């Protein structure tokens, strides 16, 4: 199912202004897929996902052993787009010691007294680990842009929030991510692009399934009324912050099995591109290890 050609179709080029209406939320985002039946794609996607899960487990160990890079994965989406499912299904084979997940919700009073990047800075993955942000500092150019009244809680020195204000926030994000990449943290950003129709179906499924009622919030319906405003905010955020060093991928999310496979493939191909290898012990270290092995063989 996946290929470099398909992945390229999902990657947003640096400096490109996007319109999300031009991005398919289903399986029609590339001509390469149109010749296949949905059932064929689903079976193929399942095979690729399982292979990627196995590869990712060994790659995380290599990432940890080489200790040169960390990987930050950012998941942004409208409610019910499948962020939790991506984390659960794509990362399930990884050693828990090598992966950390943070969900960012409404900021606390302490967080509001710092810059909008602060609460995410302190949870960045260290070298050798994979960090996942379930929502992130991008909320401050998404939900905050849709609801600018939130800015009054941040006690900012400026009181005018025109386009120049948002432009500066995009610049801050780009500079922050460039700093991360220059210092060994690879940044992958995924926007799970679900349709309004599919979101409605998923909300209804939650309301009709007793085991999923806990996932539903009345706030989800409230925010749904701002759909067009959110799409515009996402378009502007992605257009202004998809860079060569920290690209955005717009992932079609109406079919969960497809979005999970696509995300897993991008993660695996990105780590592979680092050309990592296990550290090679020095001659002195090898001699010391051989001495220890001989001690064990001799009964010590």
């Amino acid at each position: 199912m996946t290929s470099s050609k398909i992945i390229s179709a999902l990657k947003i080029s640096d400096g490109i202004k996007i319109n999300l209406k031009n991005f398919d939320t289903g399986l029609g985002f590339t001509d390469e897929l149109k010749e296949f039946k949905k059932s064929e794609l689903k079976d193929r996607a399942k095979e690729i996902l399982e292979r990627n899960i196995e590869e990712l487990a060994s790659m995380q160990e290599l990432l940890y052993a080489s200790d040169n890079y960390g990987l930050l994965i950012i998941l942004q989406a409208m409610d019910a787009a499948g962020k939790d499912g991506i984390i659960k299904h794509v990362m399930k084979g990884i050693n828990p010691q090598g992966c950390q997940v943070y969900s960012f919700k409404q900021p606390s009073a302490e967080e509001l007294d710092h810059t909008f990047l602060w609460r995410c800075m302190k949870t960045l993955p260290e070298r050798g680990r994979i960090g996942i942000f379930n929502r992130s500092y991008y909320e401050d150019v998404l939900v905050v842009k849709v609801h600018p009244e939130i800015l009054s809680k941040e006690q900012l020195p400026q009181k005018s929030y025109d386009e120049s204000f948002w432009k500066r926030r995009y610049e801050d994000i780009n500079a922050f991510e460039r700093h991360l990449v220059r210092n060994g943290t690879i940044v992958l950003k995924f926007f799970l692009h679900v349709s309004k129709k599919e979101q409605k179906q998923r909300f209804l499924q939650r309301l009709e399934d007793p085991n999923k009622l806990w996932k539903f919030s009345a706030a989800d319906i409230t925010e749904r009324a701002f759909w067009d405003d959110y799409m515009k905010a996402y378009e502007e955020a992605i257009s202004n912050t998809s860079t060569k060093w920290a690209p955005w991928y717009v992932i079609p999310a109406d079919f969960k099995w497809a979005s999970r496979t696509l995300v897993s493939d991008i993660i695996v191909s990105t780590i592979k591109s680092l050309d990592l290898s296990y550290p090679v012990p020095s001659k002195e270290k090898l001699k010391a290890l051989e001495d220890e092995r001989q001690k064990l063989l001799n009964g010590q």
Side-chain angles (χ1 to χ4, degrees):
M1 174 184 170
T2 49
S3 68
S4 58
K5 186 175 180 181
I6 292 176
I7 290 176
S8 295
L10 304 173
K11 187 177 181 179
I12 306 303
S13 299
D14 185 8
I16 297 296
K17 184 174 178 59
I18 70 164
N19 184 334
L20 287 173
K21 291 180 180 178
N22 298 329
F23 289 80
D24 203 305
T25 60
L27 299 174
F29 60 91
T30 171
D31 291 337
E32 192 170 344
L33 297 178
K34 292 178 181 178
E35 61 187 78
F36 295 98
K37 295 179 180 178
K38 178 182 171 182
S39 58
E40 294 174 334
L41 286 173
K42 189 172 184 179
D43 289 342
R44 179 64 177 142
K46 183 178 179 181
E47 293 175 6
I48 294 173
L49 179 58
E50 290 304 315
R51 182 194 70 203
N52 285 341
I53 289 171
E54 291 182 11
E55 283 196 81
L56 193 53
S58 60
M59 286 182 177
Q60 189 282 316
E61 184 177 340
L62 179 57
L63 192 72
Y64 181 82
S66 60
D67 200 29
N68 294 126
Y69 295 96
L71 177 62
L72 174 62
I73 298 169
I74 293 176
L75 299 175
Q76 291 286 161
M78 297 296 285
D79 294 312
K83 298 187 302 299
D84 291 338
I86 292 284
I87 296 169
K88 177 180 178 180
H89 292 275
V90 174
M91 314 305 289
K92 66 180 182 180
I94 291 182
N95 184 333
Q97 295 183 94
C99 184
Q100 58 199 54
V101 180
Y102 290 97
S103 296
F104 296 94
K105 301 187 184 298
Q106 186 173 345
S108 66
E110 180 188 20
E111 290 167 343
L112 287 170
D113 272 338
H114 289 82
T115 71
F116 75 95
L117 291 167
W118 180 77
R119 65 174 179 162
C120 293
M121 286 181 183
K122 62 180 184 176
T123 55
L124 290 168
E126 60 196 81
R127 290 187 181 87
R129 291 170 64 88
I130 296 174
I132 303 173
F133 284 178
N134 186 344
R135 301 190 189 277
S136 66
Y137 43 85
Y138 278 96
E139 293 295 284
D140 287 271
V141 292
L142 294 168
V143 65
V144 176
K145 193 168 189 180
V146 173
H147 300 288
E149 63 274 12
I150 296 174
L151 287 167
S152 63
K153 299 178 182 179
E154 296 187 17
Q155 301 298 322
L156 297 171
Q158 65 268 43
K159 301 303 178 185
S160 175
Y161 309 121
D162 55 12
E163 283 306 306
S164 64
F165 171 83
W166 300 109
K167 182 180 179 181
R168 289 193 295 272
R169 283 213 160 177
Y170 299 140
E171 290 173 349
D172 289 342
I173 289 172
N174 289 337
F176 173 59
E177 291 175 347
R178 187 158 199 165
H179 168 75
L180 293 180
V181 173
R182 282 174 169 171
N183 287 274
T185 299
I186 306 303
V187 182
L188 289 178
K189 302 178 294 194
F190 299 102
F191 170 58
L192 306 185
H193 189 24
V194 69
S195 66
K196 193 174 183 180
K197 179 181 178 181
E198 178 62 22
Q199 188 199 55
K200 178 180 178 179
Q201 292 303 313
R202 293 181 186 180
F203 281 165
L204 289 172
Q205 289 173 4
R206 289 180 180 180
L207 289 168
E208 293 165 2
D209 185 344
N211 294 323
K212 292 184 178 180
L213 286 175
W214 65 273
K215 299 181 74 173
F216 186 82
S217 168
D220 296 340
I221 302 300
T222 301
E223 291 306 292
R224 181 175 163 83
F226 295 92
W227 185 276
D228 291 343
D229 294 327
Y230 273 108
M231 291 302 102
K232 183 179 179 181
Y234 270 109
E235 288 170 354
E236 292 171 347
I238 293 171
S239 296
N240 283 281
T241 62
S242 194
T243 58
K244 293 177 182 178
W245 56 87
W248 273 103
Y249 293 86
V250 177
I251 305 295
D254 278 1
F255 298 97
K256 295 178 180 180
W257 51 267
S259 59
R260 292 165 185 170
T261 301
L262 291 167
V263 169
S264 71
D265 224 49
I266 293 167
I267 294 171
V268 168
S269 63
T270 298
I271 299 178
K272 280 184 175 179
S273 71
L274 299 176
D275 196 25
L276 301 175
S277 59
Y278 285 100
V280 178
S282 64
K283 292 182 179 180
E284 292 77 11
K285 180 67 174 178
L286 287 172
K287 184 180 183 307
L289 292 172
E290 177 59 24
D291 290 342
E292 297 303 319
R293 190 177 78 88
Q294 290 300 324
K295 289 178 182 179
L296 288 171
L297 291 174
N298 293 330
Q300 289 190 21

